[in-house]
Amino acid sequence: MTSVIDAGLVADQNARHHAQLQADYDALGGMLSRRGLDIEQLTALAQTFAVAVPSWGAGTGGTRFARFPGRGEPRNVFEKLEDCAVIHQLTRATPSVSPHFPWDKPTDTAELRETARALGLVFDAVNSNTFQDQQGQDQTYKFGSLTSNSAAVRAQAIAHNIDCIEIGQGIGSKALTVWVGDGANFPGQHNLRGALERYLDSMREIYAALPSDWNVFIEHKLFEPAFYATTIADWGTSFACATELGPKAKCLVDLGHHAPNTNIEMIVARLAQFGKLGGFHFNDSKYGDDDLDSGSINPFQLFLVFNELADAAKREGDAFNPAYMLDQSHNVTDPIESLMSSAVEVQRAFVQSAMVDRVALAGLQEQNDVLEAAQTLKRAFRTDVSPILAMARVRLGAAADPVACYRASGYRDRVAGLRPVKPGASSSGIV
Ligand code: LRH
Ligand code: MN
């Protein structure tokens, strides 16, 4: 496996951190053992954590107002993979990449799969795209795709999703994520029930094309690009459709796709209870689908989501295995730095959720000792597990401080020289 960053530099950087890290680790170990927790066990658990990186997150994102391209933008899927390999080399927490088609459509799937393998990466769920019209496309998606009242438009959208499954099989993926922006901007623009009926008819054809060991993830979103009614607007509609379609259909929760103050951890608990929690798009937001770095605005919510995941895993054991993926837009930061620190923030919530004393919590809930029950969760969230996460990385040959190591490597300067900025061109497809 090729190391994109010089392994010697990573070792040097880690050597500088060693004494301080060991001291912090021992201090935390002492505190945790007084709470009956074994830091070595938690560090080993941290090393099992993995979250997929969105290929489209490796380039600079933007909004409808503007996109300010960064230096050394990846110009194709191969350069995106190289950047994703840097993220995994320095965090050892992101072994897989979730591609988006046609943005990442390869001419040769074997070459793409082999390039990823050589970089120590595999492919997670593939994402279809019927929310944009591509050059030379026959039918427009202006008035919807899988829900369009035009059979020709629906057929085109269905064919695209089936094409994504075929490419996905070629690169070793096992799931298709279907997010459609279909909806209406005006009351009366379309028949609300008719749109969902057409969606289900289209999804039944896509479902029928799934290999036996594949899943299809339905991703709901409250609004945007539709601003009055979105066909798959909430978890209830997604759940009803996944149930209607069959066992290979599951629901994907993008944290930014809900109304402000929605209790997302409760949605996670519900979908897990009914066996329909397929996966996540982790990010953070303050207002809408802001696609900000995970844990950057509301880390307690991220912790509470993982607290529900830990509860579900305790109930269902290894069979409980939702797909973890990031889905972010990096408008003002270096995407590699944001993706590394976001992966670490999701890993942090994962480790903190494992420190919750679930037996004590159940007892306190039984006794309606409300305050102590709430404090039992807060105690885990308040614990700074940074030494555990850093030690887990160092022991796996990754960086004690990924961002500092990345900056010391000069990688961005190097690729900036190799990848001239194409003015106005968007590498990720998102404006
Ligand atoms: C829609 C979404 C979806 C992706 C897109 C890039 O907002 O979250 O998951 O296809 O972003
Ligand atoms: Mn998403």
Side-chain angles (χ1 to χ4, degrees):
M1 183 193 72
T2 331
S3 291
V4 181
I5 304 284
D6 166 31
L9 175 122
V10 179
D12 290 354
Q13 291 274 321
N14 287 353
R16 290 185 205 180
H17 286 84
H18 178 68
Q20 184 61 57
L21 173 55
Q22 193 60 55
D24 293 348
Y25 189 78
D26 296 342
L28 178 60
M31 185 186 70
L32 292 178
S33 66
R34 286 193 294 279
R35 280 161 51 181
L37 291 165
D38 172 359
I39 194 168
E40 286 302 331
Q41 209 183 22
L42 290 166
T43 304
L45 179 72
Q47 293 177 325
T48 67
F49 177 81
V51 62
V53 166
S55 64
W56 61 95
T60 303
T63 70
R64 58 185 166 172
F65 300 105
R67 188 182 82 91
F68 302 95
R71 298 171 57 245
E73 292 260 331
R75 299 163 298 176
N76 53 54
V77 65
F78 298 100
E79 292 179 350
K80 292 176 187 176
L81 286 178
E82 202 188 338
D83 293 359
C84 292
V86 171
I87 296 164
H88 186 46
Q89 182 185 354
L90 299 182
T91 64
R92 281 277 171 265
T94 59
S96 59
V97 176
S98 182
H100 218 299
F101 303 132
W103 297 334
D104 301 323
K105 187 167 184 174
T107 45
D108 175 344
T109 54
E111 181 199 14
L112 183 58
R113 185 174 189 162
E114 179 43 36
T115 305
R117 192 204 58 68
L119 289 166
L121 299 169
V122 295
F123 287 103
D124 208 304
V126 300
N127 297 266
S128 60
N129 176 345
T130 59
F131 51 85
Q132 292 174 324
D133 288 346
Q134 306 303 324
Q135 293 290 332
Q137 190 176 293
D138 293 347
Q139 308 290 334
T140 177
Y141 293 132
K142 179 172 181 177
F143 297 109
S145 62
L146 299 177
T147 72
S148 171
N149 48 33
S150 149
V153 173
R154 295 197 303 277
Q156 177 182 276
I158 293 164
H160 165 66
N161 278 278
I162 294 174
D163 185 36
C164 291
I165 294 170
E166 279 152 19
I167 301 168
Q169 287 181 280
I171 62 175
S173 177
K174 292 288 183 204
L176 166 70
T177 297
V178 179
W179 169 69
V180 292
D182 295 23
N185 276 3
F186 294 85
Q189 175 179 340
H190 70 200
N191 180 283
L192 296 173
R193 181 163 169 175
L196 189 60
E197 283 166 352
R198 293 189 295 272
Y199 172 85
L200 280 168
D201 289 345
S202 301
M203 286 295 283
R204 287 189 189 97
E205 292 192 43
I206 296 167
Y207 189 92
L210 289 173
S212 57
D213 59 351
W214 269 55
N215 281 126
V216 61
F217 297 148
I218 297 174
E219 182 177 2
H220 61 272
K221 181 174 179 179
L222 184 62
F223 74 99
E224 187 206 39
F227 293 104
Y228 163 64
T230 293
T231 305
I232 310 298
D234 54 34
W235 77 276
T237 309
S238 175
F239 177 74
C241 292
T243 306
E244 177 71 21
L245 289 167
K248 289 188 277 186
K250 300 273 179 76
C251 306
L252 182 140
V253 179
D254 183 312
L255 270 60
H257 287 187
H258 305 86
N261 306 324
T262 297
N263 188 327
I264 297 173
E265 58 271 21
M266 189 162 73
I267 294 173
V268 170
R270 297 285 180 269
L271 289 171
Q273 178 172 354
F274 299 117
K276 280 296 184 183
L277 182 62
F280 290 88
H281 278 177
F282 293 114
N283 49 55
D284 214 334
S285 50
K286 191 154 183 64
Y287 304 104
D289 186 21
D290 311 341
D291 281 339
L292 300 174
D293 292 9
S294 300
S296 63
I297 303 290
N298 190 349
F300 190 47
Q301 174 179 265
L302 187 58
F303 164 77
L304 292 173
V305 165
F306 272 89
N307 177 54
E308 291 307 327
L309 293 169
D311 180 81
K314 188 159 170 275
R315 293 163 182 269
E316 290 152 46
D318 295 350
F320 182 71
N321 181 23
Y324 296 162
M325 296 170 273
L326 299 173
D327 177 5
Q328 299 174 180
S329 179
H330 310 111
N331 306 354
V332 292
T333 58
D334 181 316
I336 290 178
E337 295 187 358
S338 274
L339 288 164
M340 289 194 296
S341 31
S342 299
V344 170
E345 287 317 301
V346 181
Q347 186 182 35
R348 181 186 307 281
F350 170 69
V351 171
Q352 287 175 325
S353 69
M355 295 181 352
V356 174
D357 183 340
R358 291 188 190 282
V359 177
L361 181 61
L364 293 163
Q365 290 166 340
E366 208 50 48
Q367 299 148 28
N368 294 316
D369 185 342
V370 176
L371 191 92
E372 260 318 299
Q375 284 308 316
T376 303
L377 279 191
K378 266 297 190 67
R379 195 168 297 119
F381 174 68
R382 276 198 305 266
T383 306
D384 180 359
V385 296
S386 303
I388 289 174
L389 305 179
M391 190 63 85
R393 288 192 296 272
V394 166
R395 289 179 180 173
L396 288 170
D401 182 338
V403 171
C405 190
Y406 167 72
R407 292 183 176 186
S409 76
Y411 178 82
R412 182 57 67 188
D413 297 335
R414 179 151 55 89
V415 292
L418 299 168
R419 303 170 183 173
V421 174
K422 279 196 296 189
S426 166
S427 59
S428 67
I430 291 180
V431 291

